[in-house]
Amino acid sequence: MTPCPPTASDPASPRFAAGRHALRGGMLSFHADPFLAEPAESFVHLPDALVVIEDGKILEAGPYDGLRARVEGSMPVAHYPDALILPGFIDTHIHYPQTQMIGACGEQLLEWLHKYTFVTEQQFAHRAHAEVVSELFLRELLRAGTTTAAVYCTVHPESVDAFFEVSERFGTCMIAGKVLMDRNAPPALLDTAESGYAQSKALIEKWHGKGRQLYCITPRFAGTSSEAQLAAAARLWREHPGTYVQTHLSENPGEVEWIASLFPEDEDYFGIYRRAGLAGPRAIFAHAVHVSEAELCACHHCGAALAHCPTSNLFLGSGLFRLFDAKRADRPVRVGLGTDIGAGTAFSPLQTLNEAYKVAAMNRTRLTAAHAFYLATRGGAQALYLDDRLGAVEPGYDADLVVLDLKATPLMDFRMRYCTDVMERLFVLMTLGDDRAVRATYVAGRPVYDRARQPQPFCYADGMPVRADA
């Protein structure tokens, strides 16, 4: 198999796979949190920029006119006119096994889990099936411009191995783990506190810190893990510093009521996890639609993060996440954006931000493009405690980048002619855009997705093309 053929701008040539190269185009990156600072002063926008990359890191980023003399003739440059270069999108909550059941119709959360999710996840006991879905899932993330995600696998260790192996081939920084469930699920999906601990420990030792892969201890939620299993998960977390925890919190009114009946001694839902030892930095709680002020304060004080999943919350009728309440300046909580495939209805962060805007409006708040794109980039990195190396176009950061096409569709092209500034253009991108707006996705400086590279737009990190039948 030969390396991917070069495109017109030659971003897939072997010279781009190693050594120094550059991207040219408009560039935008956040340096402050627009929820806590003046939104108009929270970002840097350069209409014509150069991003110089070496060995997977950003070496320089600045105005083209200021850098061109040092670049011209000394390295390949991929030029993207009528485009914006941003940090790669970060998805803080998504289930890769649910890719095959996206759009499953007609149930609220608990019924939906039993009717669709648990049936689907049993298929991942078969390694070959997990490999096929992992490959498709990673490609869809990259097509959407997402370069890092916090990912749920299934209870089967094979599902974790399959996922991380594909992620390694693309070179993506992924956070993932085996789901822990020892009650209230079909027998074929149950482990025990002891087996879940042992299998997770083995997976941590195999995958955490291997290349760009990071492990996440993953009790599905309090309703499917006994107190003994929650305690075992907390033990794993203590024993393996730097690993993550992810679970669900206060997604649906029926779920909240059921959880309260299972844990009558705890004052609130978040208190269950806190008492178990599962709340703190690098803990990610999805949804949090129905949390109290006391729970938001607890999240702030312990450093836990919330994943805002608007398309999922709307699709299942779960409710409206109070984003601006969570980010309140006197006790801000770390919040990232989550697509929550497959209750979520789109891989695209642009489509997800479209729904986040509407959820905010229904809460009588106003989500500007600055707020939105911060959530999808640096805000997600902050939620994951990776904002020292991801989520910004700055020297020293990993060169995980997305190139957004401002003229991706005839309608977008027409609408952009009437935009007066970059924030209006970003707002058009998030209301009219989807994966068609992603011109290219770079992972550690390598163009693993390039829409113009046909017939196969995907390449692995080593430059080899993805099989057409993969």
Side-chain angles (χ1 to χ4, degrees):
M1 191 177 289
T2 58
C4 293
T7 62
S9 58
D10 200 32
S13 77
R15 296 176 69 197
F16 274 78
R20 191 175 297 186
H21 59 279
L23 281 59
R24 180 185 176 188
M27 186 272 282
L28 187 136
S29 180
F30 288 89
H31 56 79
D33 184 343
F35 291 91
L36 307 178
E38 173 56 44
E41 299 173 2
S42 64
F43 63 90
V44 171
H45 169 238
L46 300 176
D48 189 10
L50 265 178
V51 181
V52 181
I53 298 165
E54 185 173 44
D55 297 329
K57 299 280 188 180
I58 296 171
L59 187 65
E60 295 182 275
Y64 174 73
D65 286 342
L67 294 174
R68 63 184 298 180
R70 300 208 300 275
V71 168
E72 285 185 344
S74 65
M75 66 185 75
V77 177
H79 187 197
Y80 297 102
D82 299 313
L84 272 176
I85 302 165
L86 278 79
F89 295 131
I90 295 173
D91 190 333
T92 58
H93 181 69
I94 189 167
H95 299 254
Y96 100 77
Q98 294 179 22
T99 304
Q100 69 194 67
M101 49 167 284
I102 189 171
C105 174
E107 306 290 344
Q108 296 244 321
L109 173 65
L110 297 179
E111 296 79 12
W112 182 85
L113 281 172
H114 285 275
K115 184 173 181 179
Y116 300 114
T117 303
F118 292 157
V119 174
T120 297
E121 292 192 359
Q122 292 179 55
Q123 299 175 44
F124 287 78
H126 303 288
R127 172 63 181 263
H129 182 73
E131 289 173 352
V132 168
V133 179
S134 294
E135 181 79 39
L136 179 110
F137 173 85
L138 265 296
R139 293 203 311 267
E140 289 306 306
L141 284 184
L142 295 169
R143 192 195 308 275
T146 300
T147 52
T148 291
V151 181
Y152 285 60
C153 302
T154 69
V155 72
H156 311 99
E158 299 88 345
S159 73
V160 182
D161 287 332
F163 176 78
F164 276 136
E165 285 179 10
V166 178
S167 179
E168 262 204 314
R169 294 182 72 185
F170 280 111
T172 46
C173 176
M174 290 288 155
I175 302 166
K178 165 193 146 57
V179 165
L180 300 169
M181 292 195 295
D182 66 349
R183 63 173 178 170
N184 296 322
L189 289 179
L190 294 179
D191 54 14
T192 66
E194 295 78 14
S195 68
Y197 171 90
Q199 291 171 343
S200 297
K201 181 179 176 66
L203 289 165
I204 290 169
E205 292 170 353
K206 182 175 182 180
W207 288 110
H208 184 65
K210 183 182 179 184
R212 305 186 78 204
Q213 311 312 310
L214 299 168
Y215 196 85
C216 197
I217 299 155
T218 308
R220 181 175 228 113
F221 72 128
T224 51
S225 285
S226 65
E227 295 214 31
Q229 185 164 75
L230 295 176
R235 179 184 165 198
L236 273 171
W237 200 26
R238 290 193 305 271
E239 291 173 347
H240 298 89
T243 56
Y244 288 78
V245 164
Q246 62 184 351
T247 190
H248 296 77
L249 173 67
S250 297
E251 180 176 355
N252 172 279
E255 169 221 5
V256 173
E257 184 178 348
W258 179 53
I259 296 297
S261 72
L262 294 176
F263 296 88
E265 69 280 11
D266 289 289
E267 59 182 343
D268 54 41
Y269 199 156
F270 186 73
I272 299 166
Y273 299 123
R274 185 174 49 188
R275 179 169 60 85
L278 293 170
R282 292 183 305 281
I284 312 147
F285 296 90
H287 304 294
V289 174
H290 302 286
V291 292
S292 65
E293 170 61 18
E295 289 171 296
L296 290 173
C297 286
C299 288
H300 165 74
H301 287 298
C302 78
L306 304 178
H308 177 24
C309 307
T311 72
S312 169
N313 297 154
L314 293 173
F315 185 74
L316 294 180
S318 297
L320 307 175
F321 176 65
R322 307 185 314 278
L323 172 60
F324 283 82
D325 194 9
K327 295 289 293 182
R328 207 176 72 197
D330 61 329
R331 50 109 186 92
V333 178
R334 295 169 185 255
V335 179
L337 189 72
T339 59
D340 193 27
I341 299 298
T345 52
F347 278 86
S348 171
L350 298 176
Q351 290 177 276
T352 307
L353 290 175
N354 185 5
E355 300 308 305
Y357 173 82
K358 298 167 189 174
V359 169
M362 291 294 291
N363 279 326
R364 299 187 178 182
T365 52
R366 181 170 173 264
L367 186 75
T368 69
H371 294 110
F373 278 85
Y374 174 81
L375 280 182
T377 58
R378 193 163 198 145
Q382 188 206 37
L384 299 176
Y385 287 81
L386 293 173
D387 49 320
D388 59 337
R389 61 188 179 97
L390 297 179
V393 187
E394 295 179 12
Y397 276 67
D398 293 357
D400 290 357
L401 303 165
V402 59
V403 182
L404 297 180
D405 183 356
L406 299 176
K407 298 182 175 183
T409 68
L411 178 59
M412 286 177 63
D413 184 7
F414 176 77
R415 178 63 179 86
M416 290 292 179
R417 300 174 202 173
Y418 298 92
C419 291
T420 58
D421 58 33
V422 69
M423 282 296 114
E424 188 174 4
R425 288 193 286 275
L426 284 176
F427 194 79
V428 170
L429 278 167
M430 69 183 250
T431 51
L432 300 183
D434 51 33
D435 62 310
R436 293 172 295 175
V438 176
R439 172 63 175 80
T441 305
Y442 284 75
V443 168
R446 296 170 173 86
V448 293
Y449 171 74
D450 190 314
R451 192 186 66 199
R453 190 167 56 212
Q454 296 297 331
Q456 178 51 269
F458 295 96
C459 273
Y460 295 118
D462 60 5
M464 301 306 290
V466 175
R467 296 193 325 269
D469 60 345

